Amino acid sequence: MFPSQKNNPAAGFSLKPAKLLEPSLFKVFTLFFAIGLGLSWLIPQPAISQAKPKDVELTLVSFSVTKSAYEKIIPGFVAKWKRENNQNVTISQSYGGSGSQTRAVISGLEADVVHLALAFDTDRIQEAGLIKSGWEREVPNSGIVSKSVVALVARAGNPKKIQGWADLAKPGIKVITANPKTSGVARWNFLALWGSITRNGGNEQAARTFVSQVYKNVPVLPKDAREASDTFYKQNQGDVLINYENEVLLAKQKGEAEPFIIPQVNISIDNPVAVVDKYAAKHGTTKVAEAFVKYLYTPEAQREFAKVGFRPVNSTVAGQFSSQFPRIGKLFTVSDMGGWKGAQSKFFGDGAIFDQIQNSLGNR
């Protein structure tokens, strides 16, 4: 039998109920616990770190002759964005004739950014509901991010003595130019030919006669500027190539030694860039797409355009590369010819002047 706990203090425990903390003591304990909990947030928490942003992929759709510039521009933007935002960006690219690229985007090629040969193509994408109205006001320079003029490239030694526009209409001269139904550069070429007459004192009938004579000398119509260059340089067709000045300068960098002429009556070839708002919103890439477009106007990007022959739109960079680009005596713009909507309707629409000329030559 156990000894009585009541009379045995050595038992070491008591069956009396535990005494609760006094209210005042409980309040002090609670206060210190709360303070400790609050201060714990000030202690570095190595296990907690800011989540890294998800990788982003943009799709750039551009006209063919910009590819060499973007090979240098894109890595610069990707590195800058990574440095400033700790986010990886990859940029898928598609290059082709401006008209063909425009139709592809409208038909479902989900570009986040388009850089096209002419504003008319960008307007077509806007009219399809993919780009917001006023796109040209969202970025500097009314959306124009690169420029060029028309150049004439002759064969080595210039055996046909090509000196300017008038020589292209002479009998026996074979002229290589792209198809204005599929190529932006070819539309610029056509307008330059037309304007070489109308912007230099001639009338519309004289322009039609001259341009018809030139296209009579065109044996083939490649689909875009790059294919036109390949036809002339690689396939050795033609006596003279009508092309972008920038394409000619790039070919020279790659070892082509053919002489070229920059006609002193010339058109300013203005190439726009825009975010394709609907697709960018769908992809969740609007912020990065807008930053990429703005980056194209920076001195870093403009220098890369200039290095491959585009006339820069940044005035500082233009000054740095002024020796590369000859001054033009009479430089006109598409606005001088009624703007792109007027030019498209007048010259390039179905049954318009270009089609009429082709029909008259039996080329349809």
Side-chain angles (χ1 to χ4, degrees):
M1 183 176 175
F2 292 107
S4 172
Q5 294 171 342
K6 180 177 179 180
N7 300 320
N8 187 4
F13 61 90
S14 170
L15 294 180
K16 292 181 181 179
K19 195 172 184 180
L20 297 176
L21 290 172
E22 293 293 334
S24 59
L25 183 59
F26 179 78
K27 290 179 181 179
V28 171
F29 174 82
T30 303
L31 176 63
F32 276 101
F33 178 80
I35 292 172
L37 186 64
L39 290 174
S40 70
W41 291 101
L42 300 177
I43 300 173
Q45 304 293 314
I48 300 174
S49 61
Q50 186 177 1
K52 182 181 177 182
K54 291 177 61 177
D55 293 353
V56 174
E57 181 175 352
L58 295 182
T59 297
L60 167 68
V61 171
S62 189
F63 62 110
S64 56
V65 297
T66 61
K67 184 178 180 181
S68 295
Y70 279 118
E71 287 175 351
K72 299 294 180 65
I73 291 171
I74 286 173
F77 172 76
V78 168
K80 182 176 186 292
W81 186 264
K82 173 72 171 180
R83 187 169 61 250
E84 295 176 357
N85 298 277
N86 192 31
Q87 186 176 39
N88 294 319
V89 177
T90 57
I91 301 181
S92 300
Q93 301 148 65
S94 171
Y95 300 96
S98 188
S100 300
Q101 294 289 72
T102 299
R103 288 190 293 275
V105 171
I106 293 171
S107 298
L109 176 56
E110 296 191 0
D112 299 286
V113 175
V114 288
H115 180 184
L116 299 171
L118 55 157
F120 176 76
D121 286 342
T122 313
D123 287 338
R124 288 168 62 197
I125 298 174
Q126 177 196 310
E127 290 165 3
L130 300 175
I131 295 177
K132 293 178 182 177
S133 177
W135 58 269
E136 68 278 9
R137 297 190 295 272
E138 296 298 318
V139 289
N141 204 44
S142 299
I144 304 303
V145 74
S146 58
K147 288 176 174 282
S148 194
V149 294
V150 177
L152 309 178
V153 187
R155 291 296 178 189
N158 197 5
K160 296 298 178 90
K161 308 299 181 185
I162 304 297
Q163 300 297 323
W165 294 118
D167 297 314
L168 306 188
K170 292 178 178 178
I173 300 294
K174 291 183 179 180
V175 179
I176 301 298
T177 181
N179 188 342
K181 303 293 272 192
T182 58
S183 167
V185 65
R187 295 184 194 186
W188 289 112
N189 291 350
F190 185 99
L191 294 179
L193 287 165
W194 193 273
S196 71
I197 302 298
T198 61
R199 303 301 298 177
N200 203 33
N203 60 29
E204 295 271 308
Q205 185 55 51
R208 181 188 282 263
T209 300
F210 169 70
V211 173
S212 296
Q213 290 171 339
V214 172
Y215 276 91
K216 184 178 180 179
N217 290 342
V218 175
V220 61
L221 287 169
K223 67 180 180 180
D224 59 38
R226 181 52 51 82
E227 191 173 295
S229 291
D230 289 345
T231 299
F232 184 78
Y233 291 115
K234 296 181 179 180
Q235 299 175 25
N236 204 36
Q237 293 190 47
D239 301 305
V240 58
L241 169 69
I242 312 177
N243 211 343
Y244 283 140
E245 176 190 49
N246 61 277
E247 186 77 348
V248 174
L249 293 176
L250 182 62
K252 184 179 179 181
Q253 290 177 21
K254 294 181 177 180
E256 302 293 349
E258 283 82 352
F260 64 93
I261 301 95
I262 305 297
Q264 282 300 294
V265 179
N266 217 314
I267 191 166
S268 179
I269 297 172
D270 300 337
N271 316 131
V273 67
V275 173
V276 185
D277 299 290
K278 186 172 182 178
Y279 290 148
K282 176 182 177 181
H283 304 154
T285 58
T286 299
K287 181 179 178 181
V288 182
E290 290 177 347
F292 178 66
V293 167
K294 290 179 181 177
Y295 178 78
L296 299 180
Y297 291 90
T298 64
E300 293 81 6
Q302 286 290 303
R303 274 191 286 271
E304 297 302 334
F305 280 124
K307 287 176 184 177
V308 297
F310 285 98
R311 295 188 174 219
V313 300
N314 179 287
S315 58
T316 300
V317 178
Q320 295 169 353
F321 285 83
S322 60
S323 62
Q324 180 174 306
F325 304 108
R327 294 181 63 85
I328 307 298
K330 291 184 179 180
L331 186 67
F332 59 96
T333 70
V334 69
S335 296
D336 296 320
M337 306 187 76
W340 270 116
K341 286 190 177 181
Q344 173 66 22
S345 175
K346 179 177 179 178
F347 297 112
F348 309 119
D350 290 340
I353 289 176
F354 175 75
D355 283 348
Q356 294 167 19
I357 290 173
Q358 292 294 90
N359 279 329
S360 71
L361 299 173
N363 292 336
R364 286 289 299 271

